Amino acid sequence: MGLFEKFDAIGLARKALEDLGVDPFNVEMEQILSPTEARIAGREVLLAGTNNYLGLTFDPRCIEAACRATRTEGTGTTGSRMANGTFAGHRALERELAEFFGCPKAIVFSTGFIANLGVISTLTGPGDVVLIDADCHASIYDGCRMSGADILRFRHNSAADLEKRLRRLGDRTKSTLIIVEGIYSMLGDRAPLAEIVALKKQYGAWLMVDEAHSLGVLGQKGRGLAEEAGCLGDVDFIIGTFSKSLGAIGGFCVSSHPQFDLLRYASRSYLFTASPSPATVASVRQALQILAAGTDLRERLWQNAHRLYNGLEELGFSLGSEPTPVVAVHMGSKEETLGAWKQLLHQGIYVNLVLPPAAPEGKSLLRCSVSAAHTEDQITRICSAFRALKE
Amino acid sequence: MSTADYGEILEEVRRLLGRVVKSPVRIEEKTELVNDLGLDSLAALQLVEEVEDAFDISFPLNELSQIRTVRDFVLQIQQEIEA
């Protein structure tokens, strides 16, 4: 036992799931058929829980770019950029990201999680303060913990609660980093960014926005909530990921701060991690071009998001506060929610099961995410499966 | 609260804990927040929000790791009020 005693509760919870004949946190997709379909347990299933917002994972241009990069540059970089060298693609991607956001500099990380760890834990340290929305992602909490800064949190999406906490800090606001998300991953709601920017300015604090779920989704050019809210110039640091709208894996941070590039030399999760592979970099560069070139995918994504949100609302489900491509369905007890999740999968629909503490406010959720690649018929099928839960 | 009186803080913490803790447990100074009251991580974070507002202080979450008993919690709050 010894080291493993602390996992006893997890072991019991997993055993209970196994007794039910299903482990929702370990679903094997035997074959990926398209951005919206996979084979699970021998059956074709419609995917409504992938974060594949623009549906670019099977885009032939992205696939071809990845194949070409693999043939010419190899399968991996085999080390970190600091120790083992930067590939030309890494630099090109950073230039293109910086240009896309209208910032002078970008730094690319190996995952979005690592970007948050690397940026937050390096920017802030003992004596500083991080003031985060209560519903921020685990990578933000972990980055804060690693920093050694004082961690305060404000009630989810409450600018009034944030102001109260800023006021209490007095002069310490000058070394306070406020962190919010563009679209929150579990409930799918936007941060009230204009109000938060006003407070940031009033109190002289710093502001970081994690656009993981809003890149490619919000804003006229798909740059996220900061663009949509007209606040791009007021956000000090934008964090993002390549693993959602851009259909690959990796993360980044952009900033206009003149000393921003120094983070590269101090951020441990940048210094000591293997850099993104040539295939990843090439497909992300291609996906970014597609994202920047047009609005058609975004328009289709939003049509689908409204269609699903409205459909589930008409069925009487209690949903997240606003329609976005993340549609959170509030359910009852853990057991009921698990039963509903299992029934949906039995009907050929895969959604995300979210139980407390991952679900905010101690409530269980069925979380759907919509893709531009979903057809109207597929959205109808998702709604029909939810209707069957009510029968 | 303008003064950092230990007894007053203890009473307020008892009141706030009573709202968060489901089971009817008598809350004393030596009561352990996790082992005796079963406070999980989420409830602890919510409790800190309530404490911050009740005493108009900043209470960094990283200080929670050093707190085991109700007395530890009250002493830390007292320190934050006096800071």
Side-chain angles (χ1 to χ4, degrees), chain A residues 134 149-153 155 161 164-165 167-169 362, chain B residues 42 45-46 49-50 52-53 56-62:
Chain A
D150 282 346
I151 308 165
L152 303 175
R153 62 174 217 167
R155 290 179 173 86
D161 204 62
K164 210 161 42 180
R165 280 157 173 77
R167 177 183 50 75
R168 288 175 190 145
L169 286 169
Chain B
L42 207 61
L45 296 179
Q46 282 159 359
E49 283 173 1
E50 299 290 334
E52 286 185 313
D53 288 348
D56 199 24
I57 56 168
S58 298
F59 191 103
L61 301 181
N62 25 326

Side-chain angles (χ1 to χ4, degrees), chain A residues 136-277:
Chain A
C136 275
H137 188 259
S139 57
I140 292 173
Y141 275 88
D142 287 359
C144 293
R145 210 172 294 146
M146 283 168 62
S147 73
D150 282 346
I151 308 165
L152 303 175
R153 62 174 217 167
F154 62 97
R155 290 179 173 86
H156 176 55
N157 269 354
S158 170
D161 204 62
L162 170 62
E163 171 156 36
K164 210 161 42 180
R165 280 157 173 77
L166 283 166
R167 177 183 50 75
R168 288 175 190 145
L169 286 169
D171 285 346
R172 294 188 74 194
T173 54
K174 307 289 177 289
S175 57
T176 294
L177 177 65
I178 301 164
I179 309 178
V180 299
E181 296 185 18
I183 289 180
Y184 284 89
S185 58
M186 290 298 128
L187 296 180
D189 47 353
R190 297 168 171 87
L193 198 58
E195 292 171 71
I196 289 169
V197 162
L199 289 173
K200 171 241 166 176
K201 286 179 176 172
Q202 184 186 338
Y203 286 91
W206 302 74
L207 177 60
M208 172 182 289
V209 180
D210 183 341
E211 303 271 19
H213 291 267
S214 37
L215 173 68
V217 173
L218 298 179
Q220 202 182 353
K221 293 187 175 173
R223 291 181 288 190
L225 180 64
E227 184 195 7
E228 184 187 72
C231 304
L232 263 177
D234 297 312
V235 175
D236 297 289
F237 308 97
I238 290 178
I239 292 267
T241 179
F242 304 146
S243 61
K244 295 178 173 66
S245 284
L246 296 173
I249 187 167
F252 69 90
C253 183
V254 295
S255 173
S256 293
H257 197 279
Q259 291 169 301
F260 172 64
D261 203 54
L262 295 177
L263 251 72
R264 204 186 286 280
Y265 299 86
S267 172
R268 293 172 67 81
S269 75
Y270 174 90
L271 288 168
F272 300 110
T273 311
S275 56
S277 72

